[in-house]
């Protein structure tokens, strides 16, 4: 069970799910927009408040902390309780950006994006792909981006450079090092201690709290109703909003659904195997794939065993920085797992297996860069992610060993760090059942 728990710690706490590349199509409405917001263009630091939040949610308009020269955008913050279960916890401020509809007669119900993770910032990470993801919506509707508490431009800052740097260093030594080295565990503890010293309430983060934050944002912005667009973990948050605050929701798009009844921690290994099986089955059903690459499933596991015995070293790049990664069998499987988030990488898994098996380790480079984007992204709110996962998921998880014995075989060298130990150390408590 230790090997399973270690991988879960890697997949569920260390990584955060990214946003979607979907191109959604907006719904329709006949009402005219009634909310007017100011537009500002300069930059300032975020405000910080330790006083109790106002009795009714109110927006404080300010300067956008990013450049958007081609879009009509207004930015502001809304005060929220630092811990909604503690009236004496003070307040934090949540950042919101309103991208105004291009139409002169916009519809009244905007689209609000609910990002994945938990811990993935929405505003800065979505700007580059804004037109692809939200261009159709933004023609007739305002599009609302907001950073969930503890992420991005919202307070408090829960990024953990201690953890990010320790994981990046450990990648050079293989997956066992990433998961089990005391340096990585110590980095989590160092981040926790620093956040506590800064006055961050680690128990102030969970999905129900973020759902209440989103409702307060709607009230502060003055929208009667809006449309939710949730991706990955954002779908679980959107479902909580639908349950707790249905009066403000006109419609919801749930992209890559994470339902409440699913145990993402306990079933993560089984899901990993199922994802790989989907790829293997797709190739097996395509004569062009089998003619070119043979039995991809058999070759994949043979390569994983080989790499576990004789790892290879690769150098990949992420955000203009080089990363050296030692790819052992376990690291190889995890790299393939994270490729499942992107169709472009899934499509080249058979070719990657073929090239690496023939001695060309450079075929792993794009998979390595994708892994770094998940585990080494310095913008992710690791502290917020740790708290949400430890409060909402881990206490209710039923750990399952993988059905495929080969997964156990390949992970035999990985240490015995249990995700529950990490959560006990983190000390954020647990959510009510």
């Amino acid at each position: 069970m230790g090997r399973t728990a270690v991988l879960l710690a890697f997949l569920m706490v260390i990584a955060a799910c990214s946003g979607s590349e979907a191109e959604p199509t907006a719904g329709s409405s006949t009402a005219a927009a009634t909310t007017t917001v100011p537009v500002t263009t300069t930059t300032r630091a975020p405000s910080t408040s330790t006083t109790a939040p106002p009795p009714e949610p109110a927006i404080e308009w300010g300067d956008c902390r990013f450049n958007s020269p081609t879009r009509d955008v207004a930015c502001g913050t809304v005060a929220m309780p630092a811990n909604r279960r503690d009236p004496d916890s003070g307040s934090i401020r949540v950042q919101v950006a309103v991208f105004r509809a291009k139409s002169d007669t916009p519809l009244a119900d905007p689209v609000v994006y609910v990002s994945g993770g938990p811990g993935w910032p929405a505003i800065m990470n979505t700007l580059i792909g804004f037109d692809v993801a939200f261009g159709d919506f933004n023609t007739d509707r305002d599009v609302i981006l907001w950073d969930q508490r503890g992420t991005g431009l919202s307070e408090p800052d829960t990024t953990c450079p201690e953890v990010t740097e320790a994981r990046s260093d450990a990648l050079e030594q293989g997956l066992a090092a990433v998961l089990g080295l005391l340096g990585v565990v110590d980095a989590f503890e160092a981040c926790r201690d620093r956040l506590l010293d800064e006055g961050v309430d680690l128990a102030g983060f969970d999905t129900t709290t973020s759902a209440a934050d989103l409702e307060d944002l709607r009230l502060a912005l003055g929208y009667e109703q809006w449309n939710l667009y949730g991706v990955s973990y954002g779908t679980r948050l959107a479902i909580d909003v639908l349950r707790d605050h249905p009066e403000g929701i006109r419609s919801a798009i749930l992209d890559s659904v994470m339902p409440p009844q699913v145990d993402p921690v306990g079933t993560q290994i089984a899901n990993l195997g199922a994802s790989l099986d989907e790829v293997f089955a797709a190739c097996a059903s395509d004569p062009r794939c089998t003619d070119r690459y043979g039995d991809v499933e058999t070759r994949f596991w043979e390569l994983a065993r080989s790499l576990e015995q004789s790892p290879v070293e690769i150098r990949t790049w992420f955000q203009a920085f080089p990363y050296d990664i030692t790819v052992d069998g376990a690291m190889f499987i995890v790299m393939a797992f994270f490729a499942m988030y992107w169709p472009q990488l899934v499509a080249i898994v058979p070719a990657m297996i073929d090239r690496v098996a023939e001695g060309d380790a450079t075929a792993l480079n794009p998979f390595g860069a994708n892994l770094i984007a998940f585990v080494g992204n310095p913008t992710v709110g690791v502290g917020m992610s740790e708290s949400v996962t430890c409060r909402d998921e881990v206490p209710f998880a039923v750990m399952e060993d993988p059905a495929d014995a080969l997964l156990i075989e390949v992970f035999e060298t990985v240490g015995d760090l249990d995700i529950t130990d990490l959560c006990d150390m983190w000390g954020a408590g647990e959510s009510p059942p």
Side-chain angles (χ1 to χ4, degrees):
M1 190 64 67
R3 291 184 300 272
T4 300
V6 168
L7 185 62
L8 295 174
F10 180 74
L11 297 180
M12 293 305 301
V13 178
I14 291 180
C17 302
S18 116
S20 170
E21 291 188 327
E23 298 183 24
T25 302
S28 62
S29 174
T30 57
T34 58
T35 302
T36 302
V37 296
V39 177
T40 53
T41 57
T42 55
T43 302
R44 71 171 182 180
S47 60
T48 302
S49 174
T50 58
T51 61
E56 294 294 333
I59 186 79
E60 180 182 326
W61 295 109
D63 303 327
C64 292
R65 299 172 61 193
F66 55 86
N67 293 322
S68 184
T70 63
R71 302 186 186 96
D72 182 0
V73 58
C75 299
T77 60
V78 178
M80 311 283 184
N83 187 329
R84 288 184 176 271
R85 292 169 297 279
D86 180 3
D88 299 322
S89 64
S91 68
I92 53 96
R93 301 198 71 88
V94 170
Q95 182 79 38
V96 61
V98 181
F99 292 79
R100 302 293 290 159
K102 296 177 181 178
S103 171
D104 293 333
T105 56
L107 303 173
D109 49 295
V111 172
V112 57
Y113 176 56
V114 189
S115 64
W120 206 266
I123 296 175
M124 301 303 290
N125 280 1
T126 308
L127 287 176
I128 295 178
F130 183 92
D131 288 334
V132 173
F134 304 110
D136 288 344
F137 287 129
N138 206 207
T139 299
D140 297 317
R141 286 179 167 83
D142 293 348
V143 170
I144 314 296
L145 300 183
W146 65 296
D147 286 334
Q148 296 167 35
R149 60 170 59 212
T151 72
L153 303 176
S154 291
E155 296 174 348
D157 179 357
T158 70
T159 55
C160 288
E162 304 93 337
V163 175
T164 303
E165 293 171 10
R167 290 199 308 257
S168 297
D169 292 342
L171 286 173
E172 298 183 27
Q173 303 175 56
L175 186 65
V178 176
L179 302 180
L181 277 184
L182 283 179
V184 176
V185 181
D186 288 347
F188 270 97
E189 189 168 4
C191 178
R192 179 205 63 184
D193 291 346
R194 177 178 55 78
L195 292 176
L196 291 175
D197 288 343
E198 294 171 357
V200 176
D201 188 342
L202 298 178
F205 306 93
D206 54 41
T207 304
T208 301
T209 292
S210 291
D213 289 349
L214 189 55
E215 173 65 1
D216 278 356
L217 279 181
R218 183 186 68 83
L219 295 174
L221 290 169
Y223 293 108
E224 182 177 349
Q225 284 192 319
W226 56 14
N227 306 281
L228 302 179
Y229 177 31
V231 174
S232 193
Y233 164 76
T235 66
R236 174 159 285 186
L237 176 49
I239 290 169
D240 263 33
V241 177
L242 289 168
R243 179 193 65 193
D244 295 344
H245 311 285
E247 63 278 3
I249 309 305
R250 174 183 174 270
S251 70
I253 299 171
L254 306 179
D255 182 350
S256 306
V257 185
M258 185 179 174
Q261 69 271 23
V262 167
D263 177 1
V265 174
T267 61
Q268 188 66 267
I269 298 293
N271 290 339
L272 186 157
S275 299
L276 293 173
D277 288 343
E278 289 287 337
V279 176
F280 302 149
C283 184
S285 65
D286 185 345
R288 295 169 298 175
C289 187
T290 54
D291 289 347
R292 177 65 182 84
Y293 302 113
D295 184 345
V296 171
E297 180 175 5
T298 298
R299 297 187 72 190
F300 178 90
W301 292 113
E302 288 177 348
L303 182 56
R305 289 196 190 94
S306 175
L307 290 170
E308 190 67 12
Q309 297 298 317
S310 302
V312 297
E313 296 182 0
I314 65 170
R315 167 163 285 196
T316 191
W317 296 79
F318 177 70
Q319 294 183 344
F321 291 98
Y323 290 85
D324 295 316
I325 304 177
T326 296
V327 184
D328 53 19
M331 183 76 79
F332 172 71
I333 295 172
V334 170
M335 289 168 69
F337 174 80
F338 280 112
M340 303 302 154
Y341 284 89
W342 306 111
Q344 301 91 328
L345 287 180
V346 173
I348 63 173
V349 166
M352 177 271 287
I353 296 169
D354 185 68
R355 288 176 56 189
V356 176
E358 295 298 322
D360 182 8
T362 63
L364 292 166
N365 286 354
F367 295 83
N370 181 59
L371 177 66
I372 296 295
F374 280 91
V375 305
N377 190 330
T379 69
V380 171
V382 174
M384 178 269 201
S385 178
E386 178 89 354
S387 288
V388 173
T389 302
C390 289
R391 286 184 56 80
D392 287 359
E393 305 298 344
V394 174
F396 315 104
V398 179
M399 299 296 184
E400 298 179 4
D401 275 323
D404 194 330
L406 289 173
L407 281 173
I408 297 178
E409 175 185 333
V410 171
F411 284 106
E412 275 188 349
T413 61
V414 177
D416 289 322
L417 170 66
D418 195 310
I419 189 172
T420 56
D421 294 336
L422 267 180
C423 289
D424 288 343
M425 177 274 292
W426 193 255
E430 63 183 64
S431 296

